[in-house]
Amino acid sequence: GAVVSQHPSWVICKSGTSVKIECRSLDFQATTMFWYRQFPKQSLMLMATSNEGSKATYEQGVEKDKFLINHASLTLSTLTVTSAHPEDSSFYICSASLGTGGLNEQFFGPGTRLTVL
Amino acid sequence: GQQVMQIPQYQHVQEGEDFTTYCNSSTTLSNIQWYKQRPGGHPVFLIQLVKSGEVKKQKRLTFQFGEAKKNSSLHITATQTTDVGTYFCAGMPWGKFQFGAGTQVVVTP
């Protein structure tokens, strides 16, 4: 199956700093990439959907200025958590799809565990 | 609010037994997807159902899409320890992609 990588796999940062997470589709060009947040033993919460070359579509309640998404190419999307605070600590997972969101299977990256001190 | 609901939230199964997890939507879905997430891992796509009343099988897993396309089920027969994990359904109620809360499956030998 298609492979999606994420980097870094975990990061610890101080409160107030910004953290960038990369999501890459390694062997295919992804039409759409998704960013999720997952709390322990809970479901995946969709944060935003991004298409290459266009602005990301954020879900209700997700701050655009807080979670900056850049989809520079068909194989790379980045999520930057700006001015991170302890409440931003979470497991962030990206996924990539060959088609439009929800109608095609999503290939998930391994996730990034963010801990903000 | 949560529009794709799953029950049960937890499922303890004896190895060798069968179990079913259910997914319900408040509205008609164009399609439904099922994913499995192993402990410490990431979700992996299992299957997609599109047609009303559709039934698909993958070895010991049977997936069904309801006639009204508002519910789905995953039935696992002869549970094995490798079936441990959380099973999520996902769909697009009202055009917004959403994962269900998941059913966490624990298998006891």
Side-chain angles (χ1 to χ4, degrees):
Chain A
V3 179
V4 175
S5 70
Q6 258 183 265
H7 177 80
S9 54
W10 59 271
V11 57
I12 301 173
C13 69
K14 291 183 179 179
S15 187
T17 60
S18 294
V19 175
K20 181 186 280 189
I21 302 170
E22 288 188 352
C23 177
R24 291 181 186 272
S25 56
L26 297 184
D27 51 0
F28 69 103
Q29 293 186 326
T31 305
T32 311
M33 285 187 169
F34 305 84
W35 286 96
Y36 294 87
R37 187 172 177 176
Q38 187 176 33
F39 292 101
K41 296 188 185 268
Q42 292 191 26
S43 187
L44 294 95
M45 183 191 81
L46 180 63
M47 299 175 66
T49 304
S50 75
N51 295 287
E52 182 261 341
S54 60
K55 289 185 179 180
T57 302
Y58 289 80
E59 295 300 305
Q60 192 172 8
V62 178
E63 298 176 58
K64 300 178 184 181
D65 297 331
K66 174 81 175 167
F67 299 99
L68 299 177
I69 292 173
N70 184 282
H71 197 152
S73 73
L74 284 171
T75 59
L76 173 64
S77 177
T78 60
L79 167 68
T80 302
V81 183
T82 61
S83 187
H85 291 283
E87 57 266 28
D88 298 323
S89 297
S90 189
F91 192 53
Y92 292 88
I93 314 180
C94 72
S95 72
S97 175
L98 287 166
T100 53
L103 299 178
N104 296 82
E105 69 178 283
Q106 295 180 34
F107 302 97
F108 283 83
T112 297
R113 175 123 0 241
L114 170 64
T115 302
V116 185
L117 303 176
Chain B
Q2 194 72 27
Q3 294 169 329
V4 177
M5 293 149 288
Q6 278 186 259
I7 53 171
Q9 186 177 3
Y10 298 101
Q11 181 78 56
H12 290 257
V13 192
Q14 194 87 23
E15 193 173 8
E17 290 184 342
D18 304 349
F19 76 91
T20 304
T21 175
Y22 301 89
C23 180
N24 299 296
S25 168
S26 56
T27 187
T28 303
L29 301 171
S30 57
N31 63 312
I32 193 137
Q33 298 176 349
W34 285 89
Y35 292 81
K36 177 183 178 181
Q37 185 174 22
R38 291 180 183 274
H42 60 275
V44 174
F45 176 82
L46 293 177
I47 210 156
Q48 174 165 276
L49 304 171
V50 178
K51 298 177 183 176
S52 167
E54 188 171 12
V55 177
K56 287 188 177 180
K57 291 190 176 184
Q58 287 180 351
K59 297 183 180 178
R60 296 178 294 103
L61 278 61
T62 301
F63 303 85
Q64 188 167 6
F65 203 5
E67 293 290 341
K69 300 183 75 173
K70 294 177 75 172
N71 53 70
S72 180
S73 64
L74 161 58
H75 181 77
I76 299 182
T77 58
T79 305
Q80 299 177 359
T81 54
T82 52
D83 295 324
V84 164
T86 301
Y87 294 82
F88 294 99
C89 65
M92 296 178 64
W94 309 110
K96 283 283 188 181
F97 188 73
Q98 188 178 100
F99 273 83
T103 294
Q104 186 180 343
V105 176
V106 175
V107 181
T108 51

